Amino acid sequence: MTQMNDGHRLFLQSFMSRGILNAKEVKQLFKICCLKYKIPHPENEREAQAPLLEFVRTINNHIEPFHMQIRKGVSEDDGSSSYGLVCTSESTITKLASDYTPSELEFFKKLIEIIVASDNAEVGSTETLNLVSRLENVKKLSKDDAEDLLSRLETNKWIKMTHGKISLATRSLLELDQYILEIYQDDVEKCNICKKLCLKGQTCPSCGTKLHFHCASKLFEKEENPKCPKQGCKKAWPHEIKRTPRKEETIYSRTPEKSQKRKADV
């Protein structure tokens, strides 16, 4: 096993302090770590992808015994990639206990509950603030307290607030997916393509198969008459498909070495 050096440790510490980074931030962080500790680093971005992948794999090999791993998450809104340091041994929301009070955690759990129960995985701010009246067995929060909490949850990238609507951000989908799948197993689905939790997406009206918007776009982008991908269904896919996929930025190059990609989960 390759030993970790000071560059690896700085990279890991940055993830611990920042929580989640997008692909561009990860590449910049890798370059900073290499320059600071004089680690060979290709100037060409494409050539730097393989060393970066190996760099992350080395870190994961060392932290996996402690039930930690750097993993990739994908935005359900635009398909952009982000990367976070995930605890693999806990599936409960109590992993956030060091940053939030019991009352705040209970509020967040209630917020996740109504987001999961909504038709499009987002809820209004008024409905959200009214959750303060549903808190039980914890100290009550005022609506001002709730507004402050929502602001911190957004700053820490657990939620997104857009035009008065609140939804779970990529960090929540990445770190709390097992919690959501366990608690709401009868109410949520996994995407038929990427096999990850899917709250926002398109659903086959015939069999209930669900796809992320970006997964549907990639699957059907060259199809004139898209059909449900589930074996045994194959009914016409009735939803509008975006035909102008943007270039996704990731920290790895697209190669046939799927086993390597899966090992680092990036």
Side-chain angles (χ1 to χ4, degrees):
M1 182 189 299
T2 304
Q3 294 299 309
M4 284 180 59
N5 55 39
D6 288 338
H8 292 107
R9 283 184 275 275
L10 176 59
F11 191 91
L12 179 58
Q13 288 169 358
S14 296
F15 266 94
M16 294 175 68
S17 63
R18 297 168 66 180
I20 191 167
L21 293 81
N22 62 37
K24 183 177 180 180
E25 290 171 333
V26 173
K27 292 175 183 178
Q28 291 174 338
L29 175 60
F30 176 57
K31 186 174 183 179
I32 289 171
C33 293
C34 290
L35 291 174
K36 183 175 178 65
Y37 294 103
K38 297 180 173 55
I39 300 170
H41 174 267
E43 288 298 325
N44 182 280
E45 185 172 299
R46 183 173 297 276
E47 293 177 357
Q49 288 178 328
L52 172 54
L53 179 59
E54 183 60 32
F55 195 83
V56 173
R57 187 182 294 115
T58 296
I59 294 173
N60 279 342
N61 286 339
H62 282 272
I63 65 177
E64 280 173 354
F66 303 99
H67 307 291
M68 301 295 290
Q69 191 177 60
I70 295 175
R71 287 184 178 175
K72 173 185 173 182
V74 180
S75 167
E76 291 193 314
D77 293 308
D78 61 15
S80 59
S81 298
S82 296
Y83 300 82
L85 182 63
V86 177
C87 176
T88 59
S89 65
E90 293 183 65
S91 61
T92 70
I93 203 169
T94 54
K95 65 175 74 177
L96 308 182
S98 60
D99 297 317
Y100 301 95
T101 67
S103 298
E104 291 172 337
L105 286 179
E106 185 66 20
F107 183 93
F108 190 23
K109 287 196 288 186
K110 296 292 186 185
L111 175 57
I112 292 173
E113 179 182 320
I114 62 173
I115 288 175
V116 168
S118 66
D119 292 333
N120 52 4
E122 59 182 23
V123 294
S125 55
T126 300
E127 181 182 4
T128 299
L129 292 176
N130 287 337
L131 290 174
V132 296
S133 63
R134 293 175 49 187
L135 300 183
E136 299 176 349
N137 302 318
V138 292
K139 182 180 178 180
K140 295 296 183 181
L141 295 177
S142 68
K143 289 188 176 181
D144 286 341
D145 293 331
E147 286 183 338
D148 175 70
L149 172 60
L150 290 173
S151 178
R152 285 188 286 128
L153 288 170
E154 182 181 35
T155 297
N156 293 330
K157 301 180 181 180
W158 293 106
I159 64 172
K160 290 181 62 176
M161 294 195 287
T162 308
H163 306 302
K165 295 292 185 179
I166 299 171
S167 61
L168 296 180
T170 304
R171 184 178 186 181
S172 286
L173 301 175
L174 180 61
E175 298 196 41
L176 302 178
D177 60 334
Q178 289 305 310
Y179 166 78
I180 295 171
L181 287 166
E182 288 178 15
I183 300 299
Y184 304 105
Q185 55 186 297
D186 296 328
D187 303 306
V188 298
E189 301 286 344
K190 289 185 177 181
C191 174
N192 183 267
I193 303 302
C194 69
K195 309 304 181 185
K196 294 183 178 181
L197 174 66
C198 182
L199 298 181
K200 293 182 179 180
Q202 298 177 339
T203 303
C204 175
S206 298
C207 69
T209 292
K210 196 163 186 178
L211 305 178
H212 287 117
F213 294 118
H214 56 274
C215 289
S217 177
K218 291 177 182 178
L219 179 66
F220 298 135
E221 63 181 351
K222 296 180 181 179
E223 297 288 336
E224 291 294 331
N225 300 296
K227 294 180 177 13
C228 175
K230 184 176 181 179
Q231 293 296 327
C233 180
K234 299 300 182 181
K235 296 291 181 65
W237 195 258
H239 305 287
E240 179 182 359
I241 305 299
K242 294 181 180 180
R243 302 293 179 178
T244 54
R246 58 169 192 82
K247 180 180 179 182
E248 182 186 2
E249 186 171 18
T250 62
I251 68 169
Y252 62 88
S253 56
R254 296 182 181 275
T255 71
E257 300 174 3
K258 294 182 179 179
S259 61
Q260 289 188 347
K261 174 177 177 287
R262 186 163 51 248
K263 174 66 177 175
D265 197 22
V266 294

